[in-house]
Structures are given as C-alpha cells and as structure tokens.
Amino acid sequence: MSCPYQNFTNGDDAQKGEVLGTETGMLYSDYLMLDKVLNAQRMQSSEINRPVHDEHLFIITHQAYELWFKQIIYEIDSIRDLFNTITVDESRTLEILKRLNRIAIILKLLVDHIPILETMTPLDFMDFRDFLSPASGFQSLQFRLMENKLGVKQENRVKYNQRYQDVFGDDSTAVEKIIASETEPSLCDLVQKWLERTPGLEEDGFNFWAKFKTNVYNLLDQEEAKAKALSDEFVRNYRLMDVNKRRDVYHTIFNQDAHEALVSRGERKFSYKAMQGAIMITLYRDEPRFSQPHQVLTCLMDIDSFMTKWRYSHVMMVQRMIGSQQLGTGGSSGYQYLRSTLSDRYKVFLDLFNLSTFLIPRNYIPPLTTEMINQLNTNSRVSKPAN
C-alpha cells in the first residue's frame, strides 16, 4: 500500500515544480477529506449576522469529542471480537491490552479538553447558548453507544437518561443502533466470561476458591484470638468489632446468595464466578500467565476512572457556566442531572475497584501446586475452554 503522503514535495523538487508520486498517492488534504472536516463548523450566530467568537471553539471541541468517541467505539468493537472466543491466547491478550490502554489514553485526552472550554467565560457562553436549544449532549448517539458497549446497563441509568426514545425518537436508525448495543454482549459481559474461565478455579483441580476461603477464615480466627487476649477493653472491643465486620464482608463473596443479592441491588456487577477469577488473578499476578490478565484488569479500571473524571470535570464546567438551577438545553435539570451520573451505578468495572477489600497477606495466599505452577508457566492460554 502506498503512503498517503508520498506525493509531498521536498525542497529541491518543489523548486523544480515537480510533485512526487502523483500516480500512486493522494494529497494530504484529500486523504483526510479536509474539505469536509474543516468546513463543518456552522456558527448559528453568524447566520443572523451576529457572530459570537466563542461559538467556534464550542463547535470545534465537541466535534473533536465525537471523532474521539468514534475511535473509542472502533477500539471497543475490536476488543469485543478478541474476547468473544472460547480461549484467549497470549498474543490476543497483548493486543487487547494495547487497545485498552489506547482507549484509556484517549479518555484522558478528553478530560484535558475541558480546560480549553473553560477559557470561555459564562457570559461568553450566554451569548450563543440560546442557539443550542434544543440541542443537547443527550443527543450524542456515539456517547450512548460507547457507554452501552462498555457495559453501562439501562436499569442503572438515572431516570432521565433512560428515555432515549424521547431523544432519538425521530431517528429510527439511531434507536436501532442503541437497541443493538444494549442487546449485544458488552465488553463487561465478555470480560466476565473470560474471568469465569480462569485456570485454577476448577473444583476438581486446584480449586482456588475453597483454599482461599479456608485461609481467609483461618486468618480471621487467629486475629480474633489475638484480639480476645488483649487486656485493654477498649482496644479489645475495637479489634473484635473489626474482625466481625471483615467476616461479614467476606461472607458476601463466599456466599453466592449474598453476592447475587448485591448484584440485584446494583452494588456489584460481576457474576459470582467472574469475581473469583478476578481475585485469583490479582493474588497471583506475579505468575507469568497472569501478568497480562492483571494488566488488562488495571486498564479496565483506568477506563472507568477516566470516564468518571470526565463526568466530574463536565459537571463542574456546567455548574461554572450555567449554575446549578438552570435547565440544560435539552430539557434536563442540567447540573443536578449531571451530578447524579457521578455515582457508582455508572462504573462498569466497579468490582475491580473493590478487589483490594478481599486481599490477604502474602503468607496466607494458597500456595500453588506443582501442576498449577507448570500450567501458569507453560500454558499458552490465559483461559481454558468453556465447558
């Protein structure tokens, strides 16, 4: 394939009026279709002969957002394809990791867009805000698709943001895309299936979960015995209360009914088996075959973190621009609505953030058997075939 830039001129050839590669390449502007991109800024204020300078910045910034959303969706779809197999070998995991990291870096860049918009004062924004109505960020189809493909569930959205038919009702294609993105396996769904196949979870094999449960309760029993032996009543009661509280917390992962009750309330997202896989990978992350999977989990948290940071920065910018009482241009409660999206209900990989709750000292981590050590050092797959 020819380089799209190979018909650029160098210094000498330009002086001679010669152009390189015209028969095989494309002009830079043609390749990037800059005639369309750079002429896609239509300032409403200019159409009534009252141009507002900062409207141009507002349009450019949001168009840039949409281009980056498109790239993120492109990456998410490719990662979903890589995950959507019975086995995920090491080469695939490395590619998944690279693309997840790319998404995280793009999201970080989107957070950094906010200060650029904040160079516009509230009065500057007021000069053209009326031109936006009823346009609204709610109408960003790509942002909704991006959320859905990551794994934001319809039932976890705040009430206003569930009514996508009200926003896209006249665009049947948009509604079809949204419905498809809600019914197809999300990245979160596929990650859970992958985690459920973590080697070492088999009850007839290494049976990590049974060993982990035994060691956790042995640890808590020992700490309880030490607490009871303390002479200071206040300290003794405090330590015993802490041990009992930790027992209750561990009960929520060792008892499947307790775990699923938390899932039904939206306080957890992962399946019971996926949670086991995530904990095992975290505890044995130094093992060769768990190193990349652990980095994948870290990247997923980075993506959630940057999404949350973007939401927070956006909320602060909206409050700065229109205050906390005015309605949004799309009819929402504006700042009040956006602030409600900062809750954990919008964190797709919430359970990964809470894994540290269940960590135990290294000397209590179940030692690997020789067979398991060999499997984690020589097996070319990070997940075994589904049953």
Side-chain angles (χ1 to χ4, degrees), residues 110-238:
L110 298 188
V111 174
D112 292 339
H113 279 6
I114 298 292
I116 301 174
L117 276 175
E118 289 178 336
T119 62
M120 176 174 58
T121 69
L123 279 176
D124 294 332
F125 181 52
M126 189 176 293
D127 285 341
F128 67 90
R129 183 173 184 249
D130 287 345
F131 294 124
L132 303 181
S133 184
S136 167
F138 295 125
Q139 296 159 5
S140 172
L141 172 63
Q142 291 195 120
F143 188 76
R144 176 58 67 94
L145 294 178
M146 182 175 71
E147 287 184 320
N148 289 348
K149 288 171 183 286
L150 282 172
V152 175
K153 299 296 184 184
Q154 178 78 347
E155 60 268 21
N156 289 333
R157 295 181 181 276
V158 296
K159 186 175 181 181
Y160 184 88
N161 207 11
Q162 291 178 347
R163 303 198 310 263
Y164 59 77
Q165 287 91 347
D166 293 350
V167 180
F168 302 104
D170 293 334
D171 187 344
S172 59
T173 301
V175 173
E176 288 173 4
K177 287 182 178 180
I178 291 174
I179 292 175
S181 69
E182 290 174 345
T183 54
E184 296 169 353
S186 68
L187 179 58
C188 184
D189 294 331
L190 295 169
V191 166
Q192 289 182 67
K193 295 297 183 183
W194 172 67
L195 289 171
E196 289 171 358
R197 302 193 298 268
T198 301
L201 295 181
E202 310 91 339
E203 292 184 5
D204 59 349
F206 180 64
N207 199 4
F208 160 73
W209 201 240
K211 292 180 172 67
F212 177 61
K213 180 178 180 180
T214 297
N215 286 14
V216 165
Y217 284 127
N218 285 342
L219 171 63
L220 293 175
D221 289 343
Q222 292 176 28
E223 292 187 353
E224 182 178 30
K226 290 178 182 177
K228 288 180 178 179
L230 294 172
S231 57
D232 187 303
E233 182 180 4
F234 176 80
V235 176
R236 180 173 65 250
N237 290 338
Y238 177 82

Side-chain angles (χ1 to χ4, degrees), residues 231-296:
S231 57
D232 187 303
E233 182 180 4
F234 176 80
V235 176
R236 180 173 65 250
N237 290 338
Y238 177 82
R239 294 284 178 82
L240 287 173
M241 181 181 65
D242 179 63
V243 171
N244 288 331
K245 184 177 180 180
R246 290 167 63 194
R247 282 188 190 276
D248 291 340
V249 170
Y250 277 107
H251 175 74
T252 66
I253 61 168
F254 292 137
N255 183 284
Q256 186 168 355
D257 290 337
H259 172 83
E260 290 178 354
L262 291 174
V263 172
S264 67
R265 297 203 298 267
E267 295 178 35
R268 283 196 188 148
K269 307 292 179 70
F270 278 7
S271 68
Y272 187 58
K273 195 71 174 288
M275 179 68 80
Q276 296 176 20
I279 291 174
M280 184 176 185
I281 288 171
T282 301
L283 290 177
Y284 297 102
R285 62 186 180 275
D286 294 333
E287 296 299 322
R289 297 304 174 193
F290 279 168
S291 176
Q292 286 182 2
H294 180 256
Q295 292 177 62
V296 166

Side-chain angles (χ1 to χ4, degrees), residues 63-77 106 142-143 146:
Q63 286 178 337
Y65 272 132
E66 291 295 333
L67 285 172
W68 284 122
F69 291 162
K70 184 174 184 178
Q71 183 65 34
I72 291 173
I73 290 171
Y74 181 74
E75 301 293 348
I76 292 173
D77 285 343
I106 292 173
Q142 291 195 120
F143 188 76
M146 182 175 71

